[in-house]
Amino acid sequence: MGRPTIGVLPLYDGDKESYWMLPGYMKGIEDAGGIPFVLPLTSDAENITRIANMFDGFLFTGGHDINPEIYGEQIEDVCGELCQERDVMESTLFKQVIDLDKPAFGICRGLQLFNALLGGTLYQDIPAQFKSESSIKHKQAPPYSEPIHHVYIEKGNPLHRIIETENLKVNSYHHQGIKELSKQLISVAKAEDGLIEAVMMPEKKFILAVQWHPEFSYKSDQYNFRLFEEFVKSC
């Protein structure tokens, strides 16, 4: 059996009207044994259906905020930059990935997207809307490979079986997060302030999303590399 092919959702620069990609997404897949391909940004339904059927799995990348209209809220001033093209393509593709039961790995925006599309809601801005007595910072300065806070993983849950640790120190670069968890997802990791940091869809082959950024840290952190390894293995 050959190495699995994995479609990677493109990043988008609105000012330059250009697609772009962080090498860690691609190299993480490649180092774990997969063959990554950067996808086109398209809203063509027929093309998206062909893409959904063409690849063995999909990596949903970080980036823009999720449009609050997707989870039934008005856009507030604290919401960040949106990308309608990404919302349209990723929403359509994710629904087909679920129907086909193909593996999907979400990172940062990917976690927020999965939750919103499956009926959950988001904090449009954590500092403004999520009250906590903790001093955790969820949006760090470079270098992004450096871990800044812990996440806690209950022993025996699906994520624990993958990375085999109950306490993982992670990097963090996000200002949105899960407010109400989708009933189709389970929380498998939380920060010490209670914010959900990882989710899985238990009845599917492999639907996993994390709020942190393993694409920056997998080379120096065996636990984060295991996320890529398990994803590629499932593909």
Side-chain angles (χ1 to χ4, degrees):
M1 188 172 180
R3 299 175 70 182
T5 58
I6 296 170
V8 182
L9 277 298
L11 305 173
Y12 183 72
D13 186 322
D15 293 334
K16 296 178 180 178
E17 296 185 351
S18 64
Y19 306 159
W20 66 285
M21 183 52 58
L22 287 165
Y25 291 124
M26 308 293 283
K27 294 300 293 182
I29 291 170
E30 191 174 2
D31 289 350
I35 306 174
F37 294 83
V38 179
L39 300 177
L41 189 59
T42 178
S43 59
D44 185 286
E46 184 178 344
N47 286 345
I48 294 173
T49 296
R50 291 193 66 183
I51 288 168
N53 284 280
M54 185 182 302
F55 293 94
D56 299 311
F58 297 89
L59 173 60
F60 288 78
T61 52
H64 295 82
D65 284 2
I66 306 296
N67 192 321
E69 294 176 358
I70 291 176
Y71 48 94
E73 293 188 6
Q74 297 292 320
I75 300 172
E76 300 186 24
D77 291 341
V78 293
C79 189
E81 183 180 0
L82 307 176
C83 180
Q84 182 179 359
E85 294 89 347
R86 289 195 68 179
D87 286 342
V88 170
M89 177 182 179
E90 293 175 11
S91 298
T92 305
L93 179 61
F94 182 70
K95 290 172 184 175
Q96 296 194 30
V97 168
I98 294 297
D99 290 342
L100 293 166
D101 198 13
K102 289 198 173 183
F105 183 22
I107 293 176
C108 195
R109 169 188 162 91
L111 173 139
Q112 297 157 16
L113 179 82
F114 291 6
N115 187 61
L117 292 178
L118 293 171
T121 63
L122 304 176
Y123 294 109
Q124 293 189 35
D125 182 67
I126 290 169
Q129 299 176 334
F130 178 67
K131 305 304 179 185
S132 170
E133 297 179 0
S134 171
S135 60
I136 283 181
K137 291 182 179 180
H138 286 283
K139 194 170 185 179
Q140 73 185 84
Y144 299 124
S145 59
E146 292 298 315
I148 63 164
H149 73 75
H150 292 270
V151 298
Y152 299 94
I153 304 154
E154 186 177 349
K155 191 172 182 179
N157 82 24
L159 181 60
H160 183 270
R161 289 195 289 271
I162 293 171
I163 63 175
E164 299 180 330
T165 185
E166 298 171 55
N167 185 342
L168 179 64
K169 197 168 186 184
V170 300
N171 54 15
S172 190
Y173 191 75
H174 64 106
H175 84 108
Q176 295 199 319
I178 291 176
K179 180 167 62 176
E180 181 181 352
L181 181 65
S182 161
K183 291 181 173 59
Q184 298 183 63
L185 297 171
I186 59 170
S187 169
V188 291
K190 288 185 178 181
E192 59 189 75
D193 61 3
L195 197 70
I196 293 173
E197 290 275 340
V199 298
M200 297 185 78
M201 197 171 184
E203 73 274 17
K204 293 297 181 180
K205 182 177 181 180
F206 184 95
I207 302 290
L208 166 67
V210 299
Q211 187 62 80
W212 64 92
H213 288 271
E215 76 276 14
F216 287 118
S217 57
Y218 79 90
K219 287 187 176 181
S220 59
D221 186 316
Q222 62 171 325
Y223 300 116
N224 279 298
F225 186 51
R226 287 179 190 171
L227 298 176
F228 280 104
E229 287 184 311
E230 190 68 20
F231 170 50
V232 170
K233 180 182 176 181
S234 73
C235 294

